[in-house]
Structures are given as structure tokens and as C-alpha cells.
Amino acid sequence: MEKLTHFDAEGHAHMVDVSQKSHTARVAVAESAVQMLPETLALVTEGRAKKGDVLGVARLAGIMGAKRCADLIPLCHPLPITKVSVDLTPDDSLPGVRIRAEVRTTGQTGVEMEALTAASVAALTIYDMLKAAEKSMTITATRVVLKDGGKSGRYEAQP
Amino acid sequence: MEKLTHFDAEGHAHMVDVSQKSHTARVAVAESAVQMLPETLALVTEGRAKKGDVLGVARLAGIMGAKRCADLIPLCHPLPITKVSVDLTPDDSLPGVRIRAEVRTTGQTGVEMEALTAASVAALTIYDMLKAAEKSMTITATRVVLKDGGKSGRYEAQP
Amino acid sequence: MEKLTHFDAEGHAHMVDVSQKSHTARVAVAESAVQMLPETLALVTEGRAKKGDVLGVARLAGIMGAKRCADLIPLCHPLPITKVSVDLTPDDSLPGVRIRAEVRTTGQTGVEMEALTAASVAALTIYDMLKAAEKSMTITATRVVLKDGGKSGRYEAQP
Amino acid sequence: MEKLTHFDAEGHAHMVDVSQKSHTARVAVAESAVQMLPETLALVTEGRAKKGDVLGVARLAGIMGAKRCADLIPLCHPLPITKVSVDLTPDDSLPGVRIRAEVRTTGQTGVEMEALTAASVAALTIYDMLKAAEKSMTITATRVVLKDGGKSGRYEAQP
Amino acid sequence: MEKLTHFDAEGHAHMVDVSQKSHTARVAVAESAVQMLPETLALVTEGRAKKGDVLGVARLAGIMGAKRCADLIPLCHPLPITKVSVDLTPDDSLPGVRIRAEVRTTGQTGVEMEALTAASVAALTIYDMLKAAEKSMTITATRVVLKDGGKSGRYEAQP
Amino acid sequence: MEKLTHFDAEGHAHMVDVSQKSHTARVAVAESAVQMLPETLALVTEGRAKKGDVLGVARLAGIMGAKRCADLIPLCHPLPITKVSVDLTPDDSLPGVRIRAEVRTTGQTGVEMEALTAASVAALTIYDMLKAAEKSMTITATRVVLKDGGKSGRYEAQP
């Protein structure tokens, strides 16, 4: 059975010791999506041009959210993040907005939680910006799609 | 067409003026879920008794996350939250953990973003606690199920 | 001689007691400006359309900065801010960007520090966004232009 | 034309990748000043001895502000700051207080934003401590005077 | 047996609902003390005049700490603090420094945690400022000495 | 006489320059204790099994508190913490709960303040969780028991 590293031998939560892990280049990519009505999505796509940049606000919130990860997730290590990007793509087939967050570090542990936090905060911000138009939006499919660097090797999600 | 209140007439983002809104009792309930393999879920349910309380950590993270909402979501108003609860239920049919967060205030604006943030941070923490066992977990179905109090009236999500 | 309210009778810093002050509608407006070379300003004005929205990022940073005021300024009271807007106007005669931040509350003390913090953080962000192009930018003329509500009455800066 | 590094090829804001930059000793010095009436400045200079240490409070706020830089400025990288000092000098010729903040790191990117943030928060705190005596104070001449370390070399402002 | 209000009927932690509690004037006073060697205390008392104001720094840290209480203590409600003062008194009989923190609010729940947090952060800061001289200092006797306002009535600690 | 490193030659507070200190493995252990009535302690020990996990909440709060140290203690350097554990042991002879916090880093300065902060926040949280049952609890004996790594060598407290 797998070991849950966030608990010690007695089952008590702790922040696991990464002192001996090497400072490696690490990257993680996470995805999320906000499903909405077609008419709500129309507000996003029209707005970019003239009425207000929903995606610009959400992108910035996601980037800043990555920096707050260790404040929010109890057992996460604080890490010197070296890169964050958040891509937001309107998708009529959803319909809604697809989110892709990439985070890099040269620290001693992975950054998948930072990437997931960036994607989640971007998604929450999209909800906030559009909730006056539609309350029934749903945030869905938040997951890690790529993790690389460090001892545990490369992980890629199945499509 | 609906008006996006977070933008002014020129399409610039602003924190909308709620000075004239009344101090009412307000409540919001949000849901989320973390889907995982049956063997990962088994770690959660067994762990509650003896190996480490994944849900206890996630519950606390969700409660504290509600208090950080206005720090994370750019145009959210800071609010004197008067109640937060986060319920976490293992569900074999998912399989995974269902999350339900309830937030109350007597402030001048609604608390659906606080409830969504609590649910999202709890979900992210479940991912963090279990990621040593499974990286392919997915956070899904994050949405508002109830919002009441204030001028816009009661909203209930369809089941 | 004026009394400095942030010190007690012995000259020790304290957060002054506002328990007895009434909950009134209060507003404050602060200004600032970032002076730069004409070619740097051109990057801002062109960028809005196609290369990157410097002012959109700075506006959001200023709004979020207002919410962090009580964290940054040691003796400021935490306040339930009810409105923040930050206007950013390119001005060829400066040359540079003029900043105007407005903050409202219904709390027990004024919001001029919140408005000044919003204007300052917006100005710092403009510097950050443009520093790859010019390091010699200067932030100038940061001041309160309007304060109203509360016992001390209306204050308007001289033009 | 200069490139604005905080935007990607599509003009979207991102936190630029510094993973490949070397860990070098870096330093930045920023200045600011708070202009006030001579009688307000007298409160500062007299107060140091007996009525309350305005400059001691502002110095500490500036030092702590440097540590919050990456929380405030959206696209700033979090950095392991290794030194902060904030010097505050009453100047009758202004009249007012001159501020000089120095920040050092051994990180992968420069610390001019940390130095500017330290100087700005110190200036805002001086305003806060003295605003009961004078509302017309102005914060002025906030700029980088020295930046060294890293690939882009030494920058010194003109006097 | 007493009921622990921070747990619900199933024993799960929650932030208890205070929506129905009245907005009353509330006050709490907490104490703490830092014991040290007489020669360490001498550094404090001499320093106030000429070598560095240990108590001034600790006082400010305590005041700011009160504002961070709800960030630190998981189930504390965020509250609009209306007053914080921290008194620090060198005491040769300890020998060391005695700390007394007073916090007021007009919120819906008590402020004893805010007062205890202010006293504790002030004590930790005294340790930090003096640790180069003595590592064996001990923080002791941190307790609530007064709590008043609200339904549960007045509490005074025995001397 | 010992030198207080947190003040410069003029007695002004500063964050001391650690740029030249080496990145070494460093560890610190701090202790604290919460004294309470036997019947209050009984709530803790019984609760672990069925009524609510006081120690689980306090442990998590302590771990998260270590990460906030540089935010709380004015002149502390931000550090990349690599491990935090908080052990909480009910002790009938006190009666009360004994706290032991261990923090590790590979940074340029020691982590005794992080360990003391973890212990203190855990103690404050125990008080918060149990205050409905007893207001007269006292936090006592907060001190550093071990510090190792770095130039100043190993320090062990006397038993």
C-alpha cells in the first residue's frame, strides 16, 4: 500500500522533511475549466474587446494565487517560484473557459500544488466576475497534467 | 444583456460600491468533489481511524481558506464571516470525497465566493494529502448550491 | 500644538480606540503619478491595444493593495471596505501615468490610508511592469485629495 | 523598442521564467521623501526624544513591507531577502523626511521592487502617524538609485 | 460536562455560528512575560535610551499580531478590531519584561484570542531581538486576565 | 557586552545582512506547555477518540504558524522551511498539554524563531479550542531547547 508522506508513524500530520532532497529544476502543469451557458461565455469573448477583460483579471488572480499556495495548503513547503503562467481559452464546445497553469521552481520539492492553486484561483475569479450573469456555472476537471523534475520522475496525465 | 458588475462603464475592473446595501443575514453553500481510485479512497477511510486524518486536515484548510477569500479573489469585498463549516463525505459511488461548505455573514454582500473558496481549498488539500498515492485525482463539480439573504433573493441550484 | 493620536500619554505607539466613533459612510480619494520618458509612455499606450495591458495589471494591484492596508500600516484599523476604484490615465504632459484611487467604507474610521495604499501599489506595479524599458521612472505627488465622512468633516486638497 | 518582459508573445501578463538565471548577490537601493509643513516636521524631530517615535514605527513598517513585496506586486517573484535597512532623515530644507531603503538577496532576480516597496510603505506610515496634524503631506521622488548584481549590471540613478 | 463549541455534534471542527450574537462593545486583556538574565535585561533598559529600542519593536509587533489573529488561529472569527495597546514593563524582580495587551471591538464575539496573540507575538519579538545575547530566555505566564462584554459576562483572572 | 545584531551602530532596527552566511542544514526545537484544570485536560484526551480532535487542530495551526513567522516577527528573514513537526502530549502531572516543535531549513540563518512561533501558535490554538470550558488556562515555559547548524554552533537548553 502507498505511504501518505504527510503523516508520521503515529498518523500525525507533519510537513515532511525535504532537507536532503536536491535543488532541481521542477515544473508542473495543471488544468481546470469553468462551464457556463453560451450567453455567459459570449460576455467573456465580447468583453475582451470592449466591455471588461474577465480573462485578464482571472489570469492575474491565478498567478498571484500560486504565490499564496503555502499559506493555503497546510502541509505545503514554501518554495521560491521561478515562473508562473496561466492560459485562459474560451471554448464554445464546453461551453466555457479552459484554464492551464504552469509553474516552475528550482526548489527541493514539486510544484503541482502551486499549479493546481493557480488554476483553481483563476477559475474562482472567473466565477466571481461572471456571477452577476449566471450563478449556475461549474468548475470542473481540475487536475495535474504534467509534473517533472525531482526524484519521482515525469508524470503525464492520460488525455 | 446581463451587466457584469465588476466593470465600470468604460470596462475597467473595480470593486463595486456596496455602501448602500443593507447589513442582512446572508448564507451560501458550495459543493465540490475529489474523484480518485477506490484504493486511494480506502486510504482516506481507513486513515480516519488509525493512520492519519486526511479529512480533518482538509476541513480545517477549507475553513481557513474561507477567511482568505478577499485576499485571493481580486474584486471580492472583505466580509466579517460569522460561520464556516466544511463537511467531507467519502463516497464509494464516486469514488472519492464529496465536499460541502457553508458560510454565513451579516455583511453587505453575499458569501458565495467564500463558500466556493472553502470548498476549493478543502479539495486542493485532499489532493495534497493523497498525491503520494495517486496523481490522477480530479477535482470536479465545484458550484454554488444555495445562496440566500440580500436583495437578489434565494438561489438554489438544480439537483 | 497638534496631538499625534497614534501615541499614548507616555509616547508609546498604540492603535487608537475608535470604539465610540459612529459607523458612518466615509470616502477618501488619493492621487499619485509615475513620471517616465515619452518612449516608455508610448509602450503603455500602444500596449493597451495589442502588446500587454500595463494599466489593467496596475489597476488590479491597486484595488487588492487597498485590502492589504491594515496589514502594511502598523497602526491602521482593519475596515470593511465597501468600494475601491483605481483610475489610471496616460498623460503626455507629465509624461507618464496619473493615478486616482477612491475608497469607501461604512466603518468607524477614515479610509485615506487605504486610498493612499491603493494609489501607491498601483504606482509600484506600473514601475514593475515597465522597468525592463526604463529604470529611471519616478513616483511622485502621492497625496490625499479628498476625505469626507466622520466627525472631522470634509477635507479637500488645494489644486 | 524595448521588450516588456512581464508580457508573453500574445500580450498576456505572466511571471517571467528566471529558472536559468544564476543565484548571485544582488542589491538595490530606493529613495522616497515625505514633504510636510515645518511645524509637522517639528513634531517628528521633537517626538524622537519624548513624545513618540514616528521614525521608529515607519522604519519597522518599511522593513516588514519589503517582505510583503511579492504579495503586493502581481508579477514579482518571491525572493529570500537577506538584508533590509531603512534610513529616515529629517530634512529642514524639504521640509520633511527623506527615506532610503536598501535590500539584498542572493536570489535569481533583482530586488529593486522590494526596495521601492520598503521606501513606499515607510512613507505611507509617516503619513499615517502624522495625519492628525497635517493632511496635506505629499510623498514624492520615489525612485531606484542603485541596482547591482545579476546579468544586467550596475545601474545608478543620476543625482 | 462543558461543551467545546468549536466542534459540531459529530466532533468535527467548525467555525461556530455567531450570526445571532449582538454587536456589543467587548474588551479583553492578556498578559505574558519574558524571563531573562539580569545582564540581558540590562541591554533592554539601557537600549531604550541609546542603543536600540527593543520594547518599541516588540510593541509594534504585538499590535500588528493582534490584526493577524484570525489568520493564525484556525477557528477564530475575523473581527473589526477597534483598539490595541501593548504595554511592556522591565521588571528586575523577574528578571525580564512583563507584557500586557488590551484589545477592543464592537463585533459579535470576544477578543481574548486577539489579546493573547498580541501578547505572544510581542514576547516572541523580545526573544528575537535579544537572542544574540541569550538563548535561554523563557516566555511564561501567558494568560487572559480580563474579558468583558457579550453574553457570557465579565471574567477576571485571580491575581 | 553582547551585541544586539538587530540594531545598527546608531541603534536603529534593521534586518541584519546574512548574504555572506552559508546555506547550511539548520534545525531548531522549541517547547511550550498549556496548563489547565484536570477536567479540561480530560476533554482533550477523551475528545481525541470521539468528541473532537483538539490536538489535531492545534498541530496543524502550529505547522502553518511556522510558515508565517517572517510575517509576524519584524526583523526575521524569510526562509525556505524544509520541515515542521509539532508534537502534542497530554500530561496529567502538569496537568495540561506539552508542545514540542521542530523546524529545519537549509537557509542562511537559524530557525529558532520559526520553532518558537510554531509552539506558540499551537498553544494559542489549544487555548482557543478549550476556552469555552476554562478561561484560566496558562501558556508557560515557551523556550528553545535545541539549535544546531550554522556558525554559532550547537545550543542545548539545560533540562
Side-chain angles (χ1 to χ4, degrees):
Chain A
M1 199 186 71
E2 311 281 342
K3 193 171 170 304
L4 297 186
T5 52
H6 282 322
F7 296 108
D8 63 17
E10 294 166 274
H12 294 158
H14 65 153
M15 190 197 287
V16 66
D17 193 354
V18 298
S19 305
Q20 305 308 320
K21 297 175 78 171
S22 55
H23 284 81
T24 340
R26 294 160 192 272
V27 62
V29 177
E31 282 181 353
S32 187
V34 186
Q35 284 180 309
M36 57 190 70
L37 296 171
E39 50 266 40
T40 310
L41 183 56
L43 292 172
V44 175
T45 45
E46 290 166 17
R48 292 189 81 170
K50 54 181 184 295
K51 283 192 220 75
D53 184 4
V54 170
L55 301 187
V57 176
R59 184 182 300 115
L60 218 58
I63 292 170
M64 297 178 84
K67 296 194 267 185
R68 311 302 295 271
C69 178
D71 274 356
L72 294 171
I73 312 300
L75 303 174
C76 259
H77 296 82
L79 276 177
I81 293 172
T82 53
K83 185 209 163 154
V84 187
S85 65
V86 177
D87 293 325
L88 301 163
T89 314
D91 180 343
D92 287 329
S93 73
L94 201 57
V97 179
R98 296 199 181 276
I99 301 167
R100 184 187 175 280
E102 178 181 331
V103 179
R104 292 178 180 271
T105 188
T106 44
Q108 292 173 290
T109 180
V111 282
E112 64 267 51
M113 293 316 303
E114 281 76 6
L116 284 167
T117 302
S120 295
V121 173
L124 290 167
T125 301
I126 290 173
Y127 188 97
D128 183 48
M129 302 300 288
L130 294 170
K131 69 183 195 293
E134 180 191 349
K135 287 185 180 50
S136 58
M137 287 173 286
T138 300
I139 302 170
T140 187
T142 310
R143 59 175 193 147
V144 174
V145 290
L146 173 69
K147 177 182 183 314
D148 205 2
K151 206 178 60 179
S152 67
R154 185 177 183 91
Y155 166 80
E156 276 182 277
Q158 297 182 331
Chain B
M1 200 187 71
E2 311 281 340
K3 192 173 169 305
L4 297 186
T5 53
H6 282 321
F7 296 108
D8 64 18
E10 293 166 275
H12 295 158
H14 66 152
M15 190 196 290
V16 66
D17 193 355
V18 299
S19 305
Q20 305 307 319
K21 296 175 78 170
S22 56
H23 283 82
T24 340
R26 294 161 192 269
V27 62
V29 178
E31 282 181 353
S32 186
V34 187
Q35 283 179 311
M36 56 190 70
L37 296 170
E39 50 268 39
T40 310
L41 183 56
L43 292 173
V44 175
T45 46
E46 291 165 17
R48 292 189 81 172
K50 53 184 187 293
K51 285 194 218 73
D53 184 4
V54 170
L55 301 188
V57 176
R59 186 183 298 114
L60 219 58
I63 293 170
M64 296 178 84
K67 295 193 268 186
R68 311 302 295 273
C69 179
D71 274 356
L72 295 171
I73 312 301
L75 303 175
C76 259
H77 296 80
L79 276 178
I81 292 173
T82 53
K83 184 208 162 155
V84 187
S85 65
V86 177
D87 293 325
L88 301 163
T89 314
D91 181 343
D92 287 329
S93 73
L94 202 56
V97 179
R98 296 199 181 276
I99 302 167
R100 183 187 175 279
E102 178 182 331
V103 179
R104 290 179 181 271
T105 190
T106 45
Q108 291 174 291
T109 179
V111 281
E112 64 268 51
M113 292 316 301
E114 281 76 6
L116 283 168
T117 301
S120 295
V121 173
L124 290 168
T125 301
I126 289 174
Y127 188 97
D128 183 48
M129 302 299 288
L130 295 169
K131 69 181 194 292
E134 180 191 349
K135 287 185 180 50
S136 58
M137 287 174 285
T138 299
I139 303 170
T140 188
T142 309
R143 61 177 193 144
V144 175
V145 291
L146 173 68
K147 178 184 184 310
D148 204 3
K151 207 178 61 179
S152 66
R154 185 178 183 91
Y155 166 80
E156 274 182 278
Q158 295 181 331
Chain C
M1 200 185 71
E2 311 282 341
K3 193 173 169 304
L4 297 187
T5 53
H6 282 323
F7 296 108
D8 65 17
E10 293 166 273
H12 295 158
H14 65 154
M15 190 197 289
V16 66
D17 192 357
V18 299
S19 306
Q20 305 308 318
K21 297 174 78 170
S22 55
H23 284 81
T24 340
R26 294 162 194 270
V27 62
V29 178
E31 282 181 353
S32 187
V34 186
Q35 284 180 310
M36 57 190 68
L37 296 170
E39 50 267 38
T40 310
L41 183 57
L43 292 172
V44 175
T45 46
E46 290 165 18
R48 295 189 79 169
K50 54 182 184 295
K51 285 194 220 75
D53 184 4
V54 170
L55 301 188
V57 176
R59 185 183 297 114
L60 220 57
I63 292 170
M64 297 179 82
K67 295 194 268 186
R68 311 302 295 273
C69 178
D71 274 356
L72 295 171
I73 312 299
L75 304 173
C76 259
H77 296 81
L79 275 177
I81 291 173
T82 53
K83 185 212 162 151
V84 187
S85 65
V86 176
D87 293 325
L88 300 163
T89 314
D91 181 343
D92 287 328
S93 73
L94 201 57
V97 178
R98 296 199 180 277
I99 302 166
R100 184 187 175 280
E102 178 180 331
V103 179
R104 291 178 182 271
T105 189
T106 45
Q108 292 174 290
T109 179
V111 281
E112 64 268 52
M113 291 316 302
E114 282 75 7
L116 283 167
T117 301
S120 295
V121 173
L124 290 167
T125 301
I126 290 173
Y127 188 98
D128 183 48
M129 303 298 287
L130 295 170
K131 69 183 193 292
E134 179 190 349
K135 289 185 179 50
S136 58
M137 286 175 285
T138 299
I139 303 171
T140 188
T142 310
R143 59 176 194 148
V144 174
V145 291
L146 173 70
K147 177 184 185 310
D148 204 4
K151 207 178 61 178
S152 66
R154 186 178 183 90
Y155 166 79
E156 276 184 275
Q158 295 182 330
Chain D
M1 200 185 71
E2 312 281 341
K3 192 175 171 302
L4 297 187
T5 53
H6 282 322
F7 296 108
D8 64 16
E10 293 166 275
H12 295 159
H14 66 153
M15 189 196 290
V16 65
D17 192 355
V18 298
S19 305
Q20 305 309 318
K21 295 175 77 172
S22 55
H23 284 80
T24 341
R26 293 161 194 270
V27 61
V29 178
E31 283 181 350
S32 186
V34 187
Q35 283 180 309
M36 56 189 69
L37 296 171
E39 50 267 38
T40 310
L41 182 57
L43 292 172
V44 175
T45 46
E46 290 165 18
R48 293 189 80 171
K50 54 182 183 295
K51 283 191 221 77
D53 184 5
V54 169
L55 301 188
V57 176
R59 185 183 299 115
L60 219 58
I63 292 170
M64 297 179 83
K67 295 193 269 186
R68 312 303 294 273
C69 178
D71 274 357
L72 295 171
I73 311 299
L75 303 174
C76 259
H77 296 81
L79 276 179
I81 291 173
T82 53
K83 186 211 163 156
V84 187
S85 65
V86 177
D87 293 322
L88 300 163
T89 313
D91 180 343
D92 287 327
S93 73
L94 201 58
V97 179
R98 296 199 179 276
I99 300 168
R100 183 186 175 280
E102 179 181 330
V103 179
R104 290 178 182 271
T105 191
T106 44
Q108 291 173 289
T109 179
V111 281
E112 65 266 51
M113 292 316 301
E114 282 76 6
L116 284 168
T117 301
S120 294
V121 173
L124 290 168
T125 302
I126 289 173
Y127 188 97
D128 183 48
M129 302 298 289
L130 294 170
K131 70 183 192 295
E134 180 191 348
K135 287 185 179 51
S136 57
M137 286 174 286
T138 300
I139 302 171
T140 188
T142 309
R143 59 176 195 147
V144 175
V145 291
L146 173 70
K147 178 181 184 313
D148 204 4
K151 206 178 61 179
S152 68
R154 186 177 183 92
Y155 165 79
E156 275 182 276
Q158 296 183 329
Chain E
M1 199 186 72
E2 312 281 344
K3 194 174 167 306
L4 297 187
T5 52
H6 282 322
F7 297 108
D8 64 17
E10 293 166 275
H12 295 159
H14 64 155
M15 190 197 287
V16 66
D17 192 355
V18 298
S19 305
Q20 305 307 319
K21 297 176 77 171
S22 55
H23 283 81
T24 342
R26 294 162 194 270
V27 62
V29 178
E31 281 181 353
S32 186
V34 186
Q35 283 181 310
M36 56 190 67
L37 295 171
E39 50 267 39
T40 310
L41 183 56
L43 292 172
V44 176
T45 45
E46 289 165 17
R48 293 189 81 170
K50 54 182 184 295
K51 286 195 218 74
D53 184 5
V54 170
L55 302 187
V57 175
R59 185 183 298 115
L60 219 59
I63 291 169
M64 296 178 84
K67 294 192 269 187
R68 311 301 295 272
C69 179
D71 274 357
L72 295 171
I73 312 298
L75 303 174
C76 259
H77 296 80
L79 276 177
I81 292 173
T82 53
K83 185 211 161 153
V84 187
S85 65
V86 177
D87 292 325
L88 300 163
T89 314
D91 180 343
D92 288 327
S93 72
L94 201 57
V97 178
R98 295 197 181 279
I99 301 166
R100 184 187 175 279
E102 179 181 331
V103 179
R104 290 178 181 273
T105 189
T106 44
Q108 290 172 292
T109 179
V111 281
E112 63 269 50
M113 292 316 302
E114 281 76 5
L116 283 168
T117 301
S120 294
V121 173
L124 290 167
T125 301
I126 290 173
Y127 188 97
D128 183 49
M129 302 299 288
L130 294 170
K131 69 181 194 293
E134 180 191 349
K135 288 187 178 48
S136 58
M137 288 175 284
T138 300
I139 302 171
T140 189
T142 309
R143 60 178 194 146
V144 174
V145 291
L146 173 70
K147 177 183 185 310
D148 205 3
K151 206 178 62 178
S152 67
R154 186 178 184 90
Y155 166 79
E156 276 184 276
Q158 296 183 330
Chain F
M1 200 185 72
E2 312 281 341
K3 194 173 169 302
L4 297 187
T5 52
H6 281 323
F7 296 108
D8 63 17
E10 293 166 274
H12 296 158
H14 65 153
M15 190 195 289
V16 65
D17 192 355
V18 298
S19 306
Q20 305 308 319
K21 296 176 78 171
S22 55
H23 283 81
T24 340
R26 294 160 193 271
V27 62
V29 178
E31 283 181 352
S32 186
V34 186
Q35 283 180 310
M36 56 189 68
L37 294 171
E39 50 268 38
T40 310
L41 183 56
L43 292 171
V44 175
T45 47
E46 291 166 16
R48 293 190 80 172
K50 54 183 183 295
K51 282 191 222 75
D53 184 4
V54 170
L55 301 188
V57 176
R59 185 182 300 116
L60 219 58
I63 291 169
M64 297 178 83
K67 294 192 268 186
R68 312 303 294 272
C69 179
D71 273 358
L72 294 171
I73 313 299
L75 303 175
C76 260
H77 297 81
L79 276 177
I81 291 174
T82 53
K83 185 211 162 155
V84 188
S85 65
V86 177
D87 293 324
L88 300 163
T89 314
D91 181 342
D92 287 328
S93 73
L94 202 57
V97 179
R98 296 199 180 277
I99 302 166
R100 184 188 174 281
E102 179 181 330
V103 179
R104 291 180 181 270
T105 191
T106 43
Q108 293 173 289
T109 179
V111 281
E112 64 267 51
M113 293 316 302
E114 281 76 6
L116 283 168
T117 301
S120 295
V121 172
L124 290 168
T125 301
I126 290 174
Y127 188 98
D128 184 48
M129 302 300 288
L130 295 170
K131 69 183 194 292
E134 180 192 348
K135 287 184 179 54
S136 58
M137 286 174 286
T138 299
I139 303 170
T140 187
T142 309
R143 59 176 194 147
V144 174
V145 290
L146 173 70
K147 176 182 186 311
D148 205 3
K151 208 179 60 181
S152 67
R154 187 178 182 90
Y155 166 78
E156 275 183 277
Q158 297 183 330

